[in-house]
Amino acid sequence: ACERTGDPYYCEIAREIVDYVLREMTAEGGAFYSAQDAESNTREGESYLWTEPEVRQVLGDAGLEPSHVDLVVTAYGLDQGTNFQDPHHPEDPAKNVLYLVDRPDALAKANGLTQDDLMRNKLNAARSILLSTRFERDQPMTDDKIIVGWNGLMIGGLADVGRVLEEERYVQAAVRAAAWIRDHMWSSEEGLQRTARDSQVKIEAFLEDYALLIRGLLNLHDATGDEQWLILAEDLTAQARTRFWDE
């Protein structure tokens, strides 16, 4: 959407998604984990949820002006009541999942600000404070299983975001992941394996693993011009035909 429309809002969301993945979902070798739990301490969404008083307290203690705090509360819908109740613990008080109630350009206009001032000087500053506080909470578990097909999706996404936003670090993150998959989960003799965890690689890859990795490698070739990724995609296609084609 960012590439097709040039809309900076889509570009920023894409950037934020891949920054999260690189921060929290990336293994030491560069491949990507599969999931994070929603719950901690048996409470659904516990680490992610807020109440309006909590947000006001945290931001106020960090030194934000009351008008700045009011803007954050309004922008993230905290003044509209709660929007989440743990279905497994109905006795717990309802809380809020933070979400922007409107596009940044509309919110900026409503508050007499430029979009850049709203996002960079107001909301991003507040979010950084809230994220630091959130990291002090008990964190949900991460499923550190590496799944080849899902890595293929992420490799392609990183390559595209890096190419469109001209951010080389995203492209290089895609290169690292592709190289790790190639070196640890593929051979020209045995083909692809599907999953890895704690250095244990197992399960012959499914057709979707081949397909999604091939697509990711093609995107990576588009972003880098490096022929090795096109050659690997061709090799994987030939292996997939051998293993899965039905006349």
Side-chain angles (χ1 to χ4, degrees):
C2 165
E3 183 174 24
R4 293 288 184 91
T5 67
D7 188 326
Y9 184 38
Y10 296 145
C11 301
E12 187 61 24
I13 291 171
R15 184 191 304 276
E16 290 172 358
I17 290 170
V18 295
D19 282 344
Y20 152 75
V21 170
L22 296 179
R23 183 182 70 234
E24 298 190 36
M25 298 294 290
T26 306
E28 185 175 341
F32 304 108
Y33 299 138
S34 60
Q36 282 182 322
D37 286 351
E39 67 176 39
S40 49
N41 299 317
T42 75
R43 290 313 195 256
E44 198 77 17
E46 181 188 60
S47 176
Y48 306 102
L49 297 170
W50 296 88
T51 65
E52 181 180 346
E54 284 175 336
V55 169
R56 289 188 177 279
Q57 179 77 42
V58 168
L59 297 182
D61 289 348
L64 296 193
E65 296 292 331
S67 59
H68 190 165
V69 176
D70 288 341
L71 174 62
V72 173
V73 165
T74 300
Y76 285 106
L78 287 154
D79 60 344
Q80 298 182 18
T82 56
N83 61 25
F84 181 83
Q85 177 72 57
D86 187 339
H88 309 296
H89 298 278
E91 72 280 4
D92 289 353
K95 294 189 176 184
N96 285 77
V97 176
L98 301 187
Y99 73 100
L100 278 180
V101 297
D102 206 340
R103 288 178 51 94
D105 48 0
L107 288 170
K109 183 177 181 181
N111 287 276
L113 301 167
T114 66
Q115 182 171 332
D116 188 66
D117 190 28
L118 173 76
M119 295 304 297
R120 299 193 183 282
N121 300 329
K122 301 296 185 182
L123 298 188
N124 283 3
R127 289 194 313 183
S128 179
I129 295 166
L130 294 174
L131 184 61
S132 295
T133 300
R134 209 192 80 196
F135 280 144
E136 295 174 1
R137 300 171 175 175
D138 291 338
Q139 296 300 298
M141 297 289 290
T142 296
D143 183 344
D144 58 1
K145 182 166 65 272
I146 293 166
I147 301 175
V148 164
W150 298 5
N151 271 257
L153 287 169
M154 198 64 231
I155 288 165
L158 275 166
D160 283 346
V161 174
R163 175 179 56 78
V164 172
L165 300 185
E166 298 182 347
E167 284 274 10
E168 182 62 21
R169 66 190 182 95
Y170 296 148
V171 176
Q172 288 307 308
V175 168
R176 286 185 69 217
W180 193 93
I181 296 294
R182 177 197 62 203
D183 295 344
H184 294 85
M185 304 193 71
W186 173 82
S187 74
S188 56
E189 299 80 19
E190 301 296 328
L192 272 178
Q193 300 295 299
R194 177 168 171 79
T195 68
R197 186 172 184 272
D198 292 336
S199 301
Q200 184 179 7
V201 176
K202 60 183 182 179
I203 306 176
E204 289 187 3
F206 303 161
L207 178 58
E208 73 168 33
D209 296 303
Y210 281 89
L212 297 177
L213 182 57
I214 288 165
R215 187 171 71 170
L217 293 170
L218 293 177
N219 293 4
L220 187 54
H221 176 253
D222 286 343
T224 64
D226 189 336
E227 289 294 308
Q228 68 169 313
W229 306 122
L230 181 60
I231 292 168
L232 180 56
E234 291 171 340
D235 290 344
L236 288 166
T237 301
Q239 289 178 332
R241 282 204 182 99
T242 299
R243 285 165 169 75
F244 300 106
W245 183 259
D246 176 28
E247 294 294 344

